[in-house]
Amino acid sequence: MSQQPGQLTFVAPRRAKPARHLADLSMPDRRAAVAELGEKAFRADQLSRHYFERLNADVHAMTDLPAAARDKLSVLLPSLLTPVKELTTDGGTTRKTLWRLFDGALVESVLMRYPDRATMCVSSQAGCGMNCPFCATGQAGLTRNMSTAEIVEQVVSGARALAAGDVPGGPGRVNNVVFMGMGEPLANYKQVIGAVRRMVEPAPHGLGISARGVTVSTVGLVPAIAKLADEGLPVTLALSLHAPDDELRDTLVPINTRWKVSEVLDAAWAYAAKTKRRVSIEYALIKDINDQEWRADLLGKLVRNKLVHVNLIPLNPTPGSKWTASRPEDERAFVRRLEFHGVPVTVRDTRGREIDGACGQLAATE
């Protein structure tokens, strides 16, 4: 379902929900669910240890559970993601997977292994309702919200591959999770917060990833940013700005027609003040559109002396799109202007370009 230019979709279409999964539930709710199945509540702790610590979802291989209990408890570990296609690059250290959900919806995740860390980029919605014209997912429209467990399962799948030594570099673990896959995370607020809690809670409640290693991105849903600041979760907020002026941002990021640049940045600074976490400003550099030096100056003036870091992203062009990456000399000039204003800035490592690394590209080909 493609969208009209500028159209925003906040409410996901109503569709059948995936089966309830252990990862959808807090530990007290898991114990209640196990009790409902006629088993002792502590079986929830055993199940959780297998799933979150040992990354095992096969109940029939859980020999510490009575054989009779395994069949009953298997309903709490339904299969949620089916791999459709997997592409690797960077010598196998970048792995992109296209998943089919139970209802046929398609989502993508990317595992990126670096010498010092491993990062999972996860999707939070099938499609996206924010309709940014340079984004493959935005052009596809919003199919549905993902469940908490569907989001968590993407991380668990990456953790399994690392633990098994399937990724070059020997056995490892997921250190970072970025919500920069398909979807607008803050438009699926409840499920995303549930997923973040499963990721950061210590085992066996969750995966035990540091909250500082989790980044939640948004195009700028101001009320939800304020809500996130009150969750007590010191995750990094990444704001997809892409333009420092309202005139251009209204076009590039249609949510700007509702909350302007100044409002979005005020929300980001309030988030930084409350969480003491540095805000990441994401800025896709698009040739001759938003990469002029005067825009770099304007951005520099807006964000200098703030708890902030600017992450410049060379645009990963989508097939047939008029949007493409900036010239190298324009990228360098943009960096220099931000540095002149004393703004910390980096250019993102463009991993996965040859495997349609930009989210939504793989799903669009199916």
Side-chain angles (χ1 to χ4, degrees), residues 225 229-230 234-235 237 265-279 305-308:
I225 294 172
D230 291 332
V235 298
L237 177 72
L265 287 176
D266 283 348
W269 309 147
Y271 182 87
K274 188 146 204 172
T275 62
K276 308 293 187 286
R277 301 289 291 137
R278 185 171 70 164
V279 171
N305 301 323
K306 299 291 187 182
L307 194 59
V308 72

Side-chain angles (χ1 to χ4, degrees), residues 267-290:
W269 309 147
Y271 182 87
K274 188 146 204 172
T275 62
K276 308 293 187 286
R277 301 289 291 137
R278 185 171 70 164
V279 171
S280 180
I281 301 288
E282 308 288 301
Y283 196 105
L285 284 171
I286 309 171
K287 180 182 170 186
D288 297 332
I289 301 293
N290 67 350

